[in-house]
Each structure stands twice: as C-alpha cells, then as structure tokens.
Amino acid sequence: MTLPGSPQLAYLGNELFLENCSLAELAQRYGTPLYVYSRSAMLEALAGYQRALAGRDHLICYAMKANSSLAVLQIFAQAGCGFDIVSGGELERALAVGVAASKIVFSGVGKTRAEMRRALEVGVMCFNVESEAELEVLSELAAATGAVAHVSLRVNPDVDAGTHPYISTGLKGNKFGIAHERAVACYERAAALPGLKVAGIDFHIGSQISEAAPYLDALDRMLDLVDAIESHGIAIHHLDLGGGLGITYADETPPSAQALMKTLLTRIDARGHGHRKIMVEPGRSLVGNAGALVSEVLYLKPGTAPHGDPSGAEKNFCIVDAAMNDLMRPALYQAWMNIVACRLSNEPPLLCDVVGPVCESGDWLGHDRSLAVRAGDFIAVLSAGAYGMSMASNYNTRPRAAEMMVAGDQAWVIRDREQVSDLFRGEHLLPLGSRRT
Ligand code: LLP
C-alpha cells in the first residue's frame, strides 16, 4: 500500500518502508527524531521539470531554502541543477557542493552589502533584485570593484496565489518584488546604472500553489511587461517563473510539474517568447514528498473533557520526541501533515493530538489523529522533506535531529544528530570569578 504523495513510501506487510529501508529499523538504529529522505523521490520530482524543459535553453534552480542539507544539494547539483539562494549562508552551501557560481541566482528582499560583495566576487549568474534601493546599492558595489552584476527584477504581479497568507508573496500587500507599475521605470534605471547588466525578469507568487491559473495570470502580466521593457530598447534574455508548485499533503491535487510547465511553456510560445531562456526555482515540489520525520512515542496521555466543552469530548495526547523545533509547519501555518505509524498494529486506534515535549501549547504536529500506537513505537510525519529540517531551531535547548538519505536498500547519515555541547559553543559566562553558588 503506497501513501499519498510519495510512491517511494509504502507498507510492506506491517512495516513502513521508504524505498527499501524500514523507517522503524532506521529509527531503532540511529535514534529519533530522524529525518529520512529518498534520493529517487527527489530525482523523480526533478525529472518532471526536466522532461518539460528538454530541448530548450533552460536552468532549473533548486530553491534550497526548502532543504539545504549538503547531500540534498549534491544530488541536485549532480543532476545538473543550479540553485536559488537567499542568503550568504546559502551561497556558501552551494559553493561547498561544487556548483558553478554561474548557475546560482540570488533572490531575497534584504541582501546585505557583505552578501552582495561575496556574490559579485564569486560571479553569481544573476541577482533577482527586489527593490529600487537594492538596485542602487548593487550598482555602487559592482562599479566599485569593476564587476558586472547581471540583474533580473522580481516583479510583483499582484495576483492571488490562493494559498496561506504567510506563504503568499505575489500580492501588493506583500514585502516582495517591485510593483508592476514601477517595473518599466526600474528597468530603465537598471539599464542606466553603472556596473549592472539587465539579464532577465522574474516572479514568484507564493508557495504550495495547487492550480495553474495564478501562474498563468502572473505569466501574462510578466510577458506584457517584457514587451513594454523591450520597446524601451532593453533586452530581456531570460524569464524566471519562480517556484511555488504545491504537493499533496492530504487531498490537494496540484498539477504535476510537467503539466504545469507544459501549460506555461505553451503560453510563452503562443505569445512569441519561446526563444528566451527559461528558469524555474522550485523548492517544495522537488523535496517535500521525498522525506519523513520519524519520531518515537514517549507517552500516551488519556484526556479529560476540556473544561466547559458541552460535547464532553475527551482530548487524548500522543506525546512524541519530535517537536515544533524540529518541524515548525503545523505550529506556524496550522499546516496539516499526515502522521502514520511505522508499524501497523491490530490495537484499536486512539483519537489523539500528536504533540511534542516543547513547553508551548502551540507545540503540536497533528490534531485529532487516529493512531494505533503505544509508548516506544515509532510514527512518521510525512511530506516533511521540505521546510522541515531547514526551519528547525534549538528552542528549549533541543539538539537538532539527524538526517539520512536512502537509495534502494542503502542508507547514509547525511547529518549527525546535534550534541548538547554544540549548542553551548560560542556562549560565554560573565567574568564573575569562580565562586560556587
Ligand atoms: N523562489 C523564491 C523567490 C521563493 O521565495 C521561494 C519560497 C521559492 C522560490 C520556492 O518556493 P517553493 O517551490 O518551495 O514553494 N516555509 C513555508 C514556505 C515558504 C516559501 C518561501 N519562498 C512552508 O513551510 O510552507
């Protein structure tokens, strides 16, 4: 029986496998919380984009914010991808896996001067510029060092991506991009400033988008702008369509990457822009369904009816050793992520809230789940390959989880479990003498 979203994840007998590896066995051996990813799930997700773009001048830039672990980056770099980065730290990660700087695009609303200088020094392919002020600073830095910064302006198309407000980015009220009506003037400014060379144009309207319509709206508005910009004598070489394609967490039915790209490319061709280089910046859709967060059940805590609840319904808790610091999405976005037992049992299931040990009522992984588990069993939070580990924190002085990659029946630790001593590193006591208190 396979599970929604990930053909690499299936029960064989009673046991949950990712590729040919039992998640419970990995958890037993390497401890929990444990992130486990499937290499073939990542490569298959990438293949959807590659198939649609084959035969065109294109570059798929994996948006590494979704999962920036080096082994994950290595897989995509070896498969020919570039990277979309949003910080100096992400730039160093990309360079650490040996990708050419000429395959890196630098996005983000708040690039610091130091980050821009480093990106100029290594020669990134393009800066996705998000404001007029950033354009001026980039020009100043490039001109001062004699470098040329290739730029693309991220235009905010003011379309509603129909997703959670925290992960919608293409509306006027969002901090992202340059307003559509300012775009032509900004391109004129970019073309006139020293140290800059206009390379392309881009948009990114949000994340976990489950339909093609907002993309088509954004694309149409972008192509209108390209015509307007070129009529001012400024050449646009590439079109960057951003990322944002959703995955199946529950019952969402987003188009496949291949279908979405085909729809967009058909529109691009029909409007006479088919000769341009096409860039995309997918994150979640490449890694989300490739990973699971495995956790041990610590305690089952039968509930009492909440005070004043007229239904008298009891709240049971399944307390596990993964928490909001390991996986923030439920707490931060009220995101629903599937939670399953790593070994099926014949016990009657318990309706419960799956919660972690962190001292916050907001520390939950799932509400009202039906699970047949006991203390000591393992559960897996599915679709956790994107925005899981990359958003993890050390809240409550909790060391971050270990990570593994599986391929067939092989499994590698790709990140050691953090040690508590790692968390003190760089902290200093006050110079108050050695008196014991
Ligand atoms: N390009 C840009 C400029 C972006 O800001 C993002 C994501 C992407 C590409 C990749 O988007 P994706 O394909 O992954 O949807 N933490 C949130 C998602 C935040 C997305 C931020 N930007 C979550 O867990 O749902």
Side-chain angles (χ1 to χ4, degrees):
M1 177 178 68
T2 58
L3 291 158
S6 178
Q8 284 75 15
L9 196 63
Y11 285 101
L12 287 179
N14 287 334
E15 188 110 358
L16 185 58
F17 281 77
L18 186 60
E19 300 205 25
N20 299 331
C21 295
S22 152
L23 291 180
E25 270 177 26
L26 292 179
Q28 199 82 54
R29 176 145 181 220
Y30 297 97
T32 51
L34 183 69
Y35 275 101
V36 189
Y37 311 117
S38 151
R39 184 173 70 180
S40 65
M42 293 184 186
L43 290 174
E44 265 175 41
L46 176 64
Y49 286 95
Q50 288 172 324
R51 276 193 297 269
L53 288 160
R56 285 184 194 255
D57 186 10
H58 75 274
L59 185 63
I60 301 168
C61 288
Y62 168 54
M64 72 160 79
K65 60 173 79 67
N67 186 330
S68 55
S69 300
L70 293 181
V72 173
L73 303 185
Q74 184 189 18
I75 286 174
F76 289 117
Q78 281 182 1
C81 290
F83 294 115
D84 171 65
I85 60 160
V86 290
S87 71
E90 289 194 346
L91 174 58
E92 298 308 327
R93 281 186 175 274
L95 298 174
V97 297
V99 78
S102 58
K103 285 179 155 183
I104 298 174
V105 294
F106 193 176
S107 302
V109 289
K111 304 176 189 79
T112 66
R113 283 169 188 260
E115 287 173 326
M116 289 190 208
R117 261 192 223 106
R118 174 76 174 137
L120 283 170
E121 177 187 292
V122 301
V124 297
M125 176 196 172
C126 184
F127 289 82
N128 286 348
V129 173
E130 301 229 12
S131 67
E132 300 180 51
E134 182 190 334
L135 208 51
E136 304 284 336
V137 171
L138 184 58
S139 157
E140 181 194 311
L141 295 173
T145 57
V148 176
H150 291 85
V151 296
S152 153
L153 301 193
R154 175 171 174 183
V155 178
N156 183 334
D158 195 23
V159 301
D160 187 356
T163 184
H164 189 284
Y166 282 14
I167 52 175
S168 189
T169 54
L171 277 167
K172 264 190 179 163
N174 297 129
K175 67 178 175 182
F176 298 100
I178 289 170
H180 185 89
E181 51 278 16
R182 290 284 312 149
V184 175
C186 281
Y187 269 99
E188 288 193 292
R189 182 76 185 135
L193 281 170
L196 303 185
K197 178 152 182 32
V198 170
I201 187 166
D202 70 287
F203 68 73
H204 172 79
I205 52 177
S207 200
Q208 186 51 18
I209 302 169
S210 55
E211 44 188 17
Y215 279 102
L216 278 172
D217 289 351
L219 177 62
D220 275 331
R221 288 175 66 79
M222 178 159 106
L223 296 179
D224 293 344
L225 271 181
V226 173
D227 292 336
I229 294 159
E230 292 208 323
S231 74
H232 285 72
I234 302 167
I236 298 290
H237 180 61
H238 72 251
L239 306 176
D240 180 341
L241 311 177
L245 176 61
I247 59 170
T248 302
Y249 286 98
D251 51 5
E252 304 90 334
T253 50
S256 68
Q258 194 171 353
L260 174 68
M261 294 314 298
K262 198 160 172 266
T263 305
L264 298 179
L265 293 171
T266 303
R267 180 67 60 93
I268 288 170
D269 291 344
R271 291 198 49 181
H273 292 266
H275 57 290
R276 298 183 202 280
K277 177 170 183 152
I278 303 296
M279 314 224 343
V280 282
E281 304 165 359
R284 187 192 317 263
S285 54
L286 293 183
V287 292
N289 278 330
L293 172 61
V294 184
S295 179
E296 181 179 339
V297 176
L298 298 175
Y299 306 105
L300 293 181
K301 184 169 166 180
T304 46
H307 185 68
D309 180 346
S311 71
E314 293 187 348
K315 221 7 155 194
N316 299 304
F317 294 99
C318 172
I319 303 171
V320 300
D321 68 356
M324 65 189 290
N325 73 295
D326 301 299
L327 181 63
M328 266 183 92
R329 304 194 68 258
L332 190 58
Y333 314 115
Q334 288 73 50
W336 190 93
M337 300 178 71
N338 201 1
I339 303 177
V340 297
C342 291
R343 286 197 174 114
L344 296 174
S345 96
N346 294 325
E347 307 262 323
L350 180 73
L351 187 67
C352 57
D353 282 3
V354 181
V355 300
V358 162
C359 299
E360 302 252 359
S361 293
D363 177 29
W364 55 274
L365 298 173
H367 284 141
D368 299 324
R369 304 304 173 87
S370 176
L371 284 170
V373 287
R374 290 187 187 178
D377 289 349
F378 297 111
I379 55 126
V381 185
L382 307 186
S383 314
Y387 304 112
M389 188 63 184
S390 64
M391 291 173 73
S393 80
N394 294 119
Y395 188 40
N396 280 199
T397 305
R398 289 170 51 84
R400 283 178 303 161
E403 291 182 294
M404 303 197 67
M405 182 72 64
V406 302
D409 55 10
Q410 285 185 283
W412 299 275
V413 174
I414 60 165
R415 184 195 298 254
D416 294 333
R417 183 173 306 288
E418 223 166 17
Q419 300 301 309
V420 170
S421 55
D422 297 334
L423 308 187
F424 297 165
R425 206 175 343 108
E427 292 190 36
H428 306 283
L429 294 174
L430 294 172
L432 297 179
S434 59
R435 194 159 54 92
R436 283 204 171 269
T437 51

